[in-house]
Amino acid sequence: MGTFKPLNTKVFTKTEPELSDEAIYWKKFTAPAILKDFGPIDYIDVNPNDPYHFAVTCSVRVQIFNPVTKAVYKSLTRFKETAYGGKFRHDGKLICAGGDEAEVKLFDVGSKNLLRIFKGHEGPVHRCFFCINNSQLFSCSDDKSAAVWDIASEKIVAQYRDHTDYVRAGAVSPVSADIVVSGSYDKKVMMFDTRTNEVALTLDHGAPVESVIFNKTGSIIISAGGTDICFWDALAGGKLLSRITPHHKTITCLAMASDGLRLLSGGLDKRVRVTDMTDLQPAHVLNYSSPILSIGIESNDKVLAVGMVDGLVSVSRKIEEDGKGKTPRIRYTLREWRKREQKLREFEPLQEADTTFTEKERQMMSNIDRYLRSYRYSKALDVAMAMYNTKRKAESVVTLVQELIRRKGLATALAGKDDHEIAKILKFFSKHIGNFEYMPTLIDATNTLIDIYGEEINDMPMALDACNNLLSTIHDEEQLTVKLLELQGAMEMLKIASDSHKLAPTSNDDSSVITEEFPSTL
Amino acid sequence: MITTQEELKLKRVAGGSITEHRPLFSSDSLYIYIIWDDGVRQYSIKTGKFVQKLETPNEVVELLSDPEDKNLLHGFTSAGELLTWKQDTGFFENKKTLALKLSSEKKIVGLHLSSNKNAVVVVEDTEKQIHKFIKYNLNTNEKENLPVIGQVGKFSSSVGSSDKDEYLATIHVYNLRVVNLNSSEKFKHTVNPEWGSFSCVRSHPKQNLIATCDQSGRILIWRDVMSFQAIKTLHHWHKLPVNDVVFTGQASSFYSGGSETVIVKWWLDGSQSRDFITNTGASIKNMAISPDNKYVAVGMADNAIHVVNSQMDIEQTIQHVSTHFEERPGVKPIVSRMSFDPRTKALVVNGRSGHVQFYSVENQSYMFLVDVVGQNYLNQQRGLDMVNTEVVLTAMSSDGNWFATVEERDDGLSHLECRLKFWSWDWQHKFKLKTSIENPHQGRVNDIAFQPVLGDGVNRLISTGMNAKFITWCKSEDSLWTLEFVGKLDNLVPRPVEFSNDTSLYAVGFEGTLSVWETSAMEMKSCLTRPDASERINFVKFGNNASSRYLVAASSSKIVIWDLILLQVVKIIGLKVAWLAANPMNDHMAAFTEGGELVVFLPSEKAPIYRKSILGGKKVSSALYWPHDEVQSNAVGWQRLAQLYFMTDNQEIFTFVSKNEENRDFFNPVEFPNNEGKTATPLAAFVAKQTLSQVKKVEPLPMWKQQVNSYQGSYLKMMCETPSHMLPPMQMLVGELINEYLTAQSSTIEKPQEFFKAPEPMEVIEGSSTDSESEEEGSKVRQKRRKAKTKKLRPVEESTLQSVAKLQFDWVEMLFDAVEITSDEE
């Protein structure tokens, strides 16, 4: 009410789905930096402590990168064969990694020293984890067993041989040092209790398990394998809570993000899907260039690293909003600056006044709208054409022309132009008259233009030229339309032929029906 | 079948202009009085809310404040009665009927009060098409015909006063006539005819000042009119005729408004400076100023009254049903079809140009407008025929999440503009545009219909258009609507489209041919044509519930009912149908005929349930059934589940009520304390709230639960608590149950009702339960019951139950058998 509605150029632009809050959140990450390594990226782990170094396990080394500079901070190369699953201790000072050597190696991150070697597995060790008491290690091996080690003595505390295939996934409970979980290619997920040395739970995932994690509170086990992610209640005897299928190819890795509120899953379909843990609904998708093998994310989303099959690691950081991180400098336009200055100069309003008036905010509008509002149609068209020449936004000109037709002001707007201007307008018409959305408007406009300049156009060489151009464009369009109609006719004939056997019009014998009138009164 | 032909009456629910007459401010400038429907309504300016209604015996034509006693409010009726109320209490004071003795061709159109003694009655001579004026002394009842005439028009006369004298100013074509009310001295001023005739006149109540407006949009301010040498100043900004003008109290400025949709404030300090409120969206019909000069009430053509403060901000808006108005001569305003929004419980219909309004029938209040076209309203210009984009069709999805509109602009010169828009419900109580489709049918869109939303969450809409095609639109994952399927039948133009209740089928009327399509496969299932299919089908409705096998098609002269299973015509009814509505709650259908008849019928039955000419010459533009929240037991049979509403072509909404419903306060208006803004302090409100919150609110239970609870410890309770598979057969239960209700009451029965003819209910029931087991059980229960506290039944309930006891209950058993079978199937 009381406001002028500006021209709506959106009519002619394609509608795009709106950005959800989730999408805006994930867009706040910096542009990803790409690191290149040899061979597939097996595992990425992010140091939970500042500055959130992340360890990338790939081929025969574990490299630790700085997320800010993206430079190698440390490189652990004491492997003879391929290394797997480099994982930080919770304080970030130690790192453990398995490998094809069937050993688990423990390194000091600062000095890169190899502190311990845990020997005892008979096959490659793909995953290893520190238990939360920091004195034990948990490893999963291709010898179909999972083992818990004592770090100090390098001895096996317990070894579980209940799986019948490679054990390629595992997790340690975030709340109990005695609970470990392993996932195997035999499609089973098993929970072991080191106090009883027995299998506490056996969960049937239904596909070879690629990744297993706990949720933040340790109450839910999340397993991924095939295209499914299963949520199991760890406390209620392994009840299947939910099964979602966010990917259409094998899911390779899982990670908890946003302090346990989001689940990230990466798959061979080159996507990382974000799932809302509260309702298990898909929240967002991140696209990558290659199939994804590993995700590393800081628990508060400060660093996100995604490893892919072709050795690429995509690293991005979240921009901090609390001023600690990089904050964009505020750039004021001149008008905003003035407004700000004025605001600073404003007096405090008197508290006790009979009536207080607030300053009316002036409606911001484009030049085109300003001219339209004051009925200066010719000027509005000039501005729109000038804008078209610089920005190539055809829709703003077409919307204006349409509005002028509505306002019966197109003739006024087009009148009194010189040869050069008319030629420009005609050129615009011939360029866009083929667009089916613009066509009705531009045909109307062309008719108006010819009405006005039909007599004088012979004295305007440039406009005449443009007019001839327009004529040939229209001719071409007509030809195309005829051809398309021919094609449509041919197609429809085929369609009708195929449909005809299905449809036999129902004819009714109406002789039995008597036309009747309602009794007019009851 | 219910064939009770109860007396029904039309009841206006909403609509009707509130801006026909000038509003009036109360003397304290806190309230505003407006004339609407059958009374005067008081609204608060602060809140914009309805305060109270002042009842009037006849239609009020003029509202006036008393020149001497500020606390009095006068209303002058078309029957010549001067009604008086007290402003502070709203109490009716007195009625004075003016002895005018008018001939039949004369009617009262207005009144001016100069002082308490003199009134000037404005009388329209319908034969000569002029206004005449009668001076009437209210004390002595003397009357005198004033020697002036005025042209026919709302504001063609005004009473003002100079230092010593009171005068009446009237306009007639090019003449401004002023007559002194005391001395009957006359003055005549003539303007140059090339500026066009006068359009309105308004004099300043205290100063010797008159404003006249003419067809060319000029405003002339006349000073010293009680002489032949009046001084006049010209104020020209308006391009179109000015409709009304009002002076501020000290005549330092004045306001004017016309069809430009701009409110103009002029300063009379010689500076010729002006302030504006532009783009108000509708033309201005009248204006009134508050006694303290703070506010101006501006009556708009879209049935709104804007209260504008002196800073030219719209401070409050009083809006009734927003009406679509058409300024172009000879063009009828568009009234789109009504739809029902289940979420806000609102009627959805087009409002002012390019907008769709949501109107709450229950609260009788306008809720909000949705700007559909998003374009500035183009006011008429001299010599140009300005055509605005208008909303022609609306549809609301059954869950209220989606809302579709079709807007159209056709000026006959350029290409037709047509847009199909999809809006989604937003939590901020506004609909948000999600998809806009330009020109979906390369021409006009004839009809749109949403597929009812079932559990599968499929959202689909079908539109039919003049390009002889219908298009199904489907919602994609990202809430955008895309084309799904294009269907056609030869080159026939499809018009009505309707989904069946279970969404499995939809029917499209192609000219005279009816086609039924399967939704899942998008295939035509059958094509129904009668040999005399020359008439165009205008309405298609699927039967609901028991009548779901029927498909009802209405053309301009008959209703044809098809059986979808046999694919045969079941019945043809000769009716000139203007609108066909189906009750969503049962299988009733209502047809409104061109002849003003309402016919309610069942597709399966031969005779109609209700048939009567009760529309009283009103043209029905659309109608719908509005589901009641609970069964209305005192409504007419066919309105018990849903109320039938219809809208006339001037956007008034009516419904049908029976005699016993008439006095029921149909829709409770919101009650406001009379002393609002005067005595109630914020603290008082706070205290009141606290007392309320301490009271534990008891949620009213559904009817059956209440009944069960009221018979605690009884057989009924036992029955309700026993699992259904443990209960004995139905026939054993029912008799006992009725017994339960009756015997407890037998002592309280004093006088059976007239229709009660079962004197020995006990015997009847005892006889009916022959089974020994149930007998045994029954006696146990009876013993128990005797100990239990008895509950009193009202005689009416009692007698009803007694009569029920007589009935056969086999059908209940059958019903339960049926339920069992269906549950087995599941």
Side-chain angles (χ1 to χ4, degrees):
Chain A
M1 181 73 44
T3 51
F4 181 83
K5 291 173 198 158
L7 276 185
N8 180 13
T9 50
K10 278 186 195 149
V11 178
F12 291 123
T13 47
K14 230 181 150 121
T15 31
E16 277 170 17
E18 281 169 57
L19 279 182
S20 63
D21 290 348
E22 192 72 24
I24 292 166
Y25 179 84
W26 291 103
K27 284 231 156 64
K28 278 185 186 155
F29 280 76
T30 54
I34 304 293
L35 309 171
K36 178 80 177 105
D37 220 319
F38 317 102
I41 308 297
D42 174 66
Y43 198 77
I44 298 177
D45 189 40
V46 182
N47 187 337
N49 303 296
D50 205 24
Y52 314 112
H53 288 128
F54 57 96
V56 176
T57 310
C58 170
S59 70
V60 290
R61 61 187 177 182
V62 176
Q63 284 183 302
I64 302 168
F65 290 89
N66 184 311
V68 182
T69 61
K70 275 89 178 175
V72 178
Y73 167 64
K74 297 278 157 129
S75 183
L76 310 173
T77 51
R78 310 260 307 252
F79 296 96
K80 293 193 194 80
E81 289 175 63
T82 311
Y84 299 118
K87 176 90 185 166
F88 281 105
R89 199 168 75 172
H90 307 103
D91 57 3
K93 285 179 181 155
L94 298 181
I95 203 163
C96 67
D100 277 346
E101 296 155 72
E103 296 164 349
V104 180
K105 291 177 176 173
L106 180 70
F107 299 91
D108 178 50
V109 175
S111 63
K112 301 200 285 180
N113 286 339
L114 178 59
L115 301 178
R116 292 280 189 279
I117 299 176
F118 302 91
K119 294 179 183 175
H121 276 300
E122 289 135 31
V125 179
H126 274 263
R127 293 289 175 263
C128 52
F129 305 92
F130 286 95
C131 294
I132 55 156
N133 57 11
N134 286 346
S135 63
Q136 288 181 329
L137 273 183
F138 172 57
S139 64
C140 303
S141 167
D142 280 1
D143 64 0
K144 304 171 192 174
S145 75
V148 178
W149 307 78
D150 181 51
I151 293 177
S153 61
E154 293 188 352
K155 292 269 161 48
I156 285 186
V157 178
Q159 191 161 16
Y160 307 100
R161 298 185 177 276
D162 301 279
H163 283 293
T164 56
D165 206 334
Y166 297 160
V167 185
R168 287 280 171 92
V172 291
S173 164
V175 286
S176 162
D178 303 312
I179 302 291
V180 291
V181 166
S182 63
S184 159
Y185 277 13
D186 64 0
K187 305 176 185 175
K188 297 275 193 301
V189 174
M190 288 188 187
M191 184 203 267
F192 305 110
D193 191 338
T194 53
R195 290 164 296 195
T196 59
N197 271 344
E198 274 175 9
V199 179
L201 288 174
T202 303
L203 313 167
D204 189 1
H205 182 83
V209 180
E210 298 281 353
S211 183
V212 175
I213 55 167
F214 274 98
N215 75 340
K216 196 192 168 198
T217 56
S219 58
I220 297 173
I221 301 168
I222 305 160
S223 61
T227 55
D228 289 348
I229 298 177
C230 292
F231 297 83
W232 313 89
D233 193 334
L235 306 177
K239 196 178 97 184
L240 178 62
L241 295 173
S242 183
R243 180 188 286 267
I244 58 171
T245 316
H247 294 264
H248 60 269
K249 282 190 182 170
T250 304
I251 301 162
T252 53
C253 47
L254 294 174
M256 295 304 296
S258 306
D259 204 17
L261 292 173
R262 298 284 181 275
L263 173 70
L264 302 193
S265 57
L268 297 181
D269 58 356
K270 305 181 188 176
R271 286 158 202 268
V272 170
R273 297 267 180 181
V274 182
T275 307
D276 191 337
M277 281 299 282
T278 50
D279 53 4
L280 304 185
Q281 290 300 309
H284 190 60
V285 188
L286 303 164
N287 289 317
Y288 290 91
S289 57
S290 315
I292 292 154
L293 287 185
S294 49
I295 302 174
I297 186 160
E298 202 272 328
S299 64
N300 285 314
D301 306 345
K302 292 211 168 64
V303 177
L304 170 67
V306 175
M308 285 161 262
V309 271
D310 52 2
L312 294 180
V313 182
S314 156
V315 188
S316 47
R317 290 187 309 130
K318 204 177 93 194
I319 302 166
E320 301 247 352
E321 281 164 352
D322 53 353
K324 274 185 194 167
K326 203 176 119 192
T327 43
R329 241 179 74 210
I330 304 164
R331 305 190 77 144
Y332 294 106
T333 61
L334 188 60
R335 193 179 280 134
E336 282 167 342
W337 179 258
R338 277 189 194 143
K339 211 173 191 178
R340 194 167 156 270
E341 289 286 292
Q342 201 180 356
K343 220 168 209 174
L344 292 175
R345 267 187 273 120
E346 259 175 29
F347 293 109
E348 278 286 305
L350 283 172
Q351 290 303 312
E352 283 171 39
D354 290 344
T355 35
T356 39
F357 307 118
T358 47
E359 197 182 333
K360 276 185 203 171
E361 199 135 306
R362 281 189 65 185
Q363 202 186 345
M364 303 285 280
M365 54 173 89
S366 71
N367 277 340
I368 299 178
D369 287 325
R370 195 166 300 135
Y371 286 125
L372 258 187
R373 191 181 178 177
S374 51
Y375 295 84
R376 290 156 79 183
Y377 297 151
S378 184
K379 197 82 184 151
L381 187 64
D382 287 348
V383 172
M385 285 306 294
M387 265 172 70
Y388 171 71
N389 286 338
T390 53
K391 289 182 186 163
R392 297 280 138 193
K393 275 190 178 167
E395 66 265 14
S396 63
V397 181
V398 180
T399 351
L400 175 70
V401 170
Q402 196 176 34
E403 179 67 19
L404 289 175
I405 291 172
R406 271 183 215 133
R407 288 170 167 249
K408 308 260 157 112
L410 188 61
T412 328
L414 287 174
K417 298 249 188 286
D418 64 16
D419 182 19
H420 182 65
E421 285 166 318
I422 291 296
K424 253 187 185 171
I425 292 168
L426 278 171
K427 211 174 135 194
F428 175 83
F429 286 178
S430 57
K431 189 170 178 193
H432 293 285
I433 206 159
N435 186 329
F436 77 99
E437 281 178 324
Y438 301 160
M439 198 189 291
T441 311
L442 293 187
I443 287 173
D444 287 339
T446 314
N447 286 339
T448 315
L449 195 130
I450 290 167
D451 282 350
I452 301 169
Y453 292 100
E455 305 273 305
E456 321 157 29
I457 201 144
N458 288 325
D459 307 333
M460 301 172 149
M462 286 164 86
L464 196 63
D465 225 30
C467 212
N468 287 329
N469 260 340
L470 177 64
L471 206 64
S472 66
T473 314
I474 291 170
H475 186 72
D476 290 351
E477 282 293 326
E478 274 176 3
Q479 293 278 312
L480 181 68
T481 313
V482 168
K483 273 185 190 161
L484 286 174
L485 281 173
E486 278 170 6
L487 186 66
Q488 190 187 7
M491 279 162 66
E492 242 163 53
M493 209 141 77
L494 290 173
K495 193 170 168 283
I496 289 166
S498 70
D499 282 350
S500 59
H501 68 277
K502 288 185 208 161
L503 267 184
T506 324
S507 60
N508 286 288
D509 182 18
D510 273 328
S511 55
S512 63
V513 182
I514 308 142
T515 306
E516 57 185 302
E517 286 274 344
F518 275 149
S520 54
T521 48
L522 286 173
Chain B
M1 196 179 79
I2 317 138
T3 48
T4 42
Q5 198 74 324
E6 277 191 65
E7 268 313 305
L8 284 185
K9 271 188 71 176
L10 271 188
K11 187 183 170 84
R12 170 145 74 174
V13 179
S17 178
I18 59 166
T19 55
E20 215 35 64
H21 307 276
R22 272 189 196 135
L24 183 76
F25 281 94
S26 67
S27 55
D28 53 8
S29 301
L30 289 175
Y31 301 98
I32 189 166
Y33 297 97
I34 59 165
I35 301 168
W36 180 67
D37 196 15
D38 53 349
V40 177
R41 266 147 213 264
Q42 185 184 8
Y43 283 82
S44 162
I45 289 169
K46 277 235 169 66
T47 63
K49 292 275 173 23
F50 171 59
V51 178
Q52 63 175 346
K53 181 185 171 185
L54 310 175
E55 298 285 347
T56 58
N58 288 302
E59 186 204 349
V60 178
V61 292
E62 193 89 54
L63 279 175
L64 307 131
S65 58
D66 196 280
E68 281 172 7
D69 188 350
K70 291 277 172 254
N71 195 22
L72 293 185
L73 168 77
H74 296 297
F76 190 60
T77 69
S78 54
E81 299 149 320
L82 188 67
L83 311 167
T84 309
W85 294 273
K86 276 210 162 146
Q87 287 193 8
D88 53 356
T89 57
F91 291 152
F92 182 70
E93 201 68 4
N94 60 47
K95 179 172 98 174
K96 181 180 173 68
T97 309
L98 272 52
L100 292 167
K101 291 188 190 113
L102 295 172
S103 52
S104 62
E105 80 276 3
K106 286 177 181 153
K107 65 171 188 191
I108 294 166
V109 291
L111 180 84
H112 302 293
L113 274 185
S114 58
S115 68
N116 238 5
K117 276 181 226 152
N118 283 325
V120 177
V121 182
V122 186
V123 175
E124 185 177 321
D125 190 327
T126 46
E127 257 177 24
K128 291 182 190 155
Q129 282 296 307
I130 48 165
H131 277 183
K132 288 186 172 172
F133 303 92
I134 302 166
K135 190 171 95 178
Y136 193 95
N137 191 316
L138 292 171
N139 289 350
T140 58
N141 288 344
E142 279 171 27
K143 59 176 182 174
E144 177 195 342
N145 283 336
L146 289 172
V148 283
I149 52 163
Q151 68 194 33
V152 173
K154 205 73 214 158
F155 311 121
S156 65
S157 60
S158 179
V159 162
S161 65
S162 64
D163 303 335
K164 45 196 184 298
D165 290 322
E166 286 167 339
Y167 61 85
L168 170 77
T170 74
I171 47 168
H172 189 249
V173 199
Y174 307 115
N175 300 323
L176 168 69
R177 291 186 174 90
V178 180
V179 57
N180 190 325
L181 289 177
N182 299 342
S183 62
S184 292
E185 207 179 344
K186 285 196 295 180
F187 302 94
K188 185 174 154 192
H189 308 279
T190 310
V191 290
N192 190 345
E194 75 182 43
W195 291 105
S197 59
F198 284 120
S199 61
C200 71
V201 61
R202 187 106 181 220
S203 46
H204 194 281
K206 297 277 157 59
Q207 295 185 18
N208 197 351
L209 207 57
I210 293 177
T212 60
C213 314
D214 59 32
Q215 295 295 332
S216 59
R218 300 188 314 163
I219 300 168
L220 286 173
I221 305 293
W222 305 73
R223 287 163 211 273
D224 202 12
V225 283
M226 306 276 265
S227 73
F228 288 102
Q229 299 295 318
I231 305 153
K232 55 182 192 260
T233 47
L234 174 70
H235 298 261
H236 199 174
W237 177 88
H238 290 276
K239 295 182 297 251
L240 303 170
V242 179
N243 291 340
D244 201 6
V245 57
V246 65
F247 284 104
T248 55
Q250 296 305 313
S252 60
S253 57
F254 69 94
Y255 295 85
S256 68
S259 307
E260 291 96 350
T261 76
V262 179
I263 303 167
V264 190
K265 184 181 187 181
W266 306 77
W267 293 92
L268 281 175
D269 52 3
S271 65
Q272 286 274 352
S273 61
R274 299 175 291 255
D275 290 330
F276 303 99
I277 300 179
T278 53
N279 294 298
T280 53
S283 53
I284 290 143
K285 288 172 82 176
N286 54 45
M287 295 178 138
I289 194 156
S290 68
D292 63 357
N293 287 318
K294 253 188 184 171
Y295 303 111
V296 174
V298 184
M300 313 293 292
D302 67 341
N303 217 8
I305 292 174
H306 295 310
V307 178
V308 177
N309 65 17
S310 47
Q311 289 77 48
M312 295 297 272
D313 292 320
I314 293 174
E315 198 150 297
Q316 194 59 254
T317 298
I318 295 156
Q319 173 90 62
H320 275 213
V321 173
S322 177
T323 45
H324 179 249
F325 53 94
E326 190 55 75
E327 302 260 313
R328 287 180 290 155
V331 183
K332 271 188 146 187
I334 296 161
V335 181
S336 79
R337 167 178 63 195
M338 285 195 289
S339 30
F340 169 65
D341 178 17
R343 195 188 293 268
T344 53
K345 299 247 183 286
L347 277 180
V348 185
V349 73
N350 69 334
R352 73 161 198 257
S353 186
H355 290 67
V356 167
Q357 68 181 317
F358 285 66
Y359 189 89
S360 166
V361 175
E362 278 166 5
N363 301 328
Q364 275 195 312
S365 68
Y366 152 92
M367 292 167 80
F368 55 88
L369 276 180
V370 175
D371 181 4
V372 170
V373 298
Q375 292 165 8
N376 292 302
Y377 174 74
L378 305 175
N379 48 264
Q380 293 305 309
Q381 289 179 20
R382 220 169 270 282
L384 287 176
D385 192 21
M386 304 300 270
V387 184
N388 281 287
T389 316
E390 302 293 354
V391 182
V392 288
L393 284 171
T394 59
M396 180 64 80
S397 71
S398 61
D399 57 354
N401 279 341
W402 287 94
F403 171 52
T405 57
V406 175
E407 64 195 59
E408 208 178 83
R409 182 184 169 277
D410 184 12
D411 58 3
L413 298 169
S414 49
H415 279 84
L416 174 96
E417 270 181 54
C418 185
R419 244 165 254 119
L420 172 64
K421 284 180 174 173
F422 293 92
W423 307 76
S424 83
W425 173 260
D426 199 38
W427 62 274
Q428 285 162 318
H429 294 265
K430 283 277 161 66
F431 281 86
K432 211 168 173 187
L433 180 64
K434 288 286 178 175
T435 309
S436 170
I437 293 151
E438 280 290 311
N439 221 351
H441 282 278
Q442 288 98 46
R444 283 215 154 83
V445 175
N446 290 332
D447 196 8
I448 50 173
F450 269 107
Q451 174 176 336
V453 182
L454 297 181
D456 53 0
V458 174
N459 285 105
R460 189 178 276 130
L461 177 126
I462 298 186
S463 63
T464 62
M466 289 307 281
N467 61 343
K469 285 181 180 117
F470 71 84
I471 302 179
T472 70
W473 307 90
C474 211
K475 194 190 82 177
S476 63
E477 253 179 45
D478 41 8
S479 288
L480 298 178
W481 289 73
T482 46
L483 187 142
E484 184 192 26
F485 174 74
V486 181
K488 55 185 260 180
L489 184 68
D490 297 339
N491 244 344
L492 299 171
V493 176
R495 272 168 223 275
V497 56
E498 177 83 7
F499 275 94
S500 70
N501 241 0
D502 62 350
T503 74
S504 63
L505 294 175
Y506 60 89
V508 184
F510 285 93
E511 302 285 355
T513 305
L514 200 55
S515 64
V516 181
W517 300 68
E518 194 182 320
T519 315
S520 54
M522 287 292 162
E523 266 179 10
M524 178 146 64
K525 295 308 284 178
S526 54
C527 182
L528 309 169
T529 317
R530 279 183 38 77
D532 56 342
S534 55
E535 259 177 19
R536 207 174 83 191
I537 296 169
N538 291 327
F539 304 97
V540 173
K541 293 275 176 218
F542 279 92
N544 292 330
N545 301 338
S547 303
S548 27
R549 62 187 293 183
Y550 300 110
L551 181 60
V552 182
S555 58
S556 51
S557 76
K558 58 179 176 285
I559 296 175
V560 182
I561 300 170
W562 294 83
D563 188 320
L564 281 175
I565 295 168
L566 304 172
L567 294 178
Q568 268 186 357
V569 173
V570 183
K571 191 166 59 178
I572 297 169
I573 309 158
L575 279 179
K576 288 185 178 166
V577 181
W579 194 268
L580 183 70
N583 190 338
M585 310 296 283
N586 55 25
D587 40 358
H588 289 159
M589 290 204 183
F592 293 83
T593 68
E594 301 280 357
E597 256 187 325
L598 167 68
V599 182
V600 181
F601 64 98
L602 281 168
S604 50
E605 299 281 345
K606 280 210 162 172
I609 294 166
Y610 184 87
R611 179 172 189 157
K612 213 147 218 192
S613 304
I614 59 167
L615 299 184
K618 294 188 172 64
K619 286 252 179 280
V620 175
S621 72
S622 70
L624 56 74
Y625 273 102
W626 184 295
H628 288 302
D629 286 340
E630 50 192 55
V631 177
Q632 297 290 327
S633 50
N634 57 346
V636 196
W638 54 270
Q639 283 205 118
R640 241 164 233 174
L641 294 169
Q643 189 83 21
L644 183 61
Y645 290 96
F646 75 91
M647 183 173 247
T648 61
D649 54 356
N650 54 356
Q651 288 198 312
E652 288 177 284
I653 303 165
F654 289 89
T655 188
F656 303 97
V657 288
S658 61
K659 275 269 157 61
N660 51 359
E661 273 180 306
E662 204 184 332
N663 293 333
R664 169 165 76 107
D665 200 357
F666 215 72
F667 305 105
N668 298 324
V670 189
E671 290 290 338
F672 285 91
N674 220 355
N675 53 4
E676 181 203 21
K678 284 179 184 169
T679 53
T681 61
L683 186 66
F686 178 67
V687 170
K689 259 178 212 161
Q690 265 208 336
T691 18
L692 258 180
S693 68
Q694 280 163 0
V695 181
K696 243 189 191 169
K697 205 179 167 193
V698 181
E699 282 288 314
L701 287 166
M703 205 54 202
W704 67 272
K705 267 195 184 166
Q706 279 181 13
Q707 283 170 350
V708 170
N709 283 356
S710 64
Y711 293 99
Q712 270 181 3
S714 71
Y715 183 71
L716 178 65
K717 197 181 173 206
M718 188 196 82
M719 202 178 103
C720 288
E721 281 171 357
T722 316
S724 54
H725 61 276
M726 302 280 283
L727 282 173
M730 211 56 215
Q731 67 206 58
M732 297 176 193
L733 283 175
V734 175
E736 200 50 54
L737 184 62
I738 301 296
N739 218 354
E740 173 71 24
Y741 270 81
L742 284 179
T743 44
Q745 303 304 315
S746 49
S747 58
T748 60
I749 303 174
E750 283 166 18
K751 217 185 242 172
Q753 296 284 309
E754 273 179 48
F755 61 90
F756 166 51
K757 282 166 195 148
E760 282 107 24
M762 287 300 286
E763 274 75 9
V764 175
I765 291 151
E766 299 263 326
S768 72
S769 59
T770 46
D771 196 294
S772 61
E773 245 184 64
S774 82
E775 186 66 58
E776 209 177 286
E777 203 173 35
S779 62
K780 265 189 219 160
V781 172
R782 268 196 292 281
Q783 276 168 16
K784 225 190 259 176
R785 188 194 53 235
R786 265 168 215 136
K787 284 174 205 162
K789 224 178 169 181
T790 56
K791 219 87 209 182
K792 283 193 180 175
L793 275 178
R794 280 181 288 130
V796 183
E797 282 176 356
E798 183 85 19
S799 56
T800 318
L801 279 169
Q802 303 255 13
S803 59
V804 169
K806 278 202 318 165
L807 296 172
Q808 290 292 315
F809 297 106
D810 302 353
W811 60 273
V812 181
E813 195 187 349
M814 277 162 61
L815 195 73
F816 272 76
D817 285 347
V819 169
E820 264 167 40
I821 288 162
T822 45
S823 61
D824 284 348
E825 279 170 5
E826 278 166 15

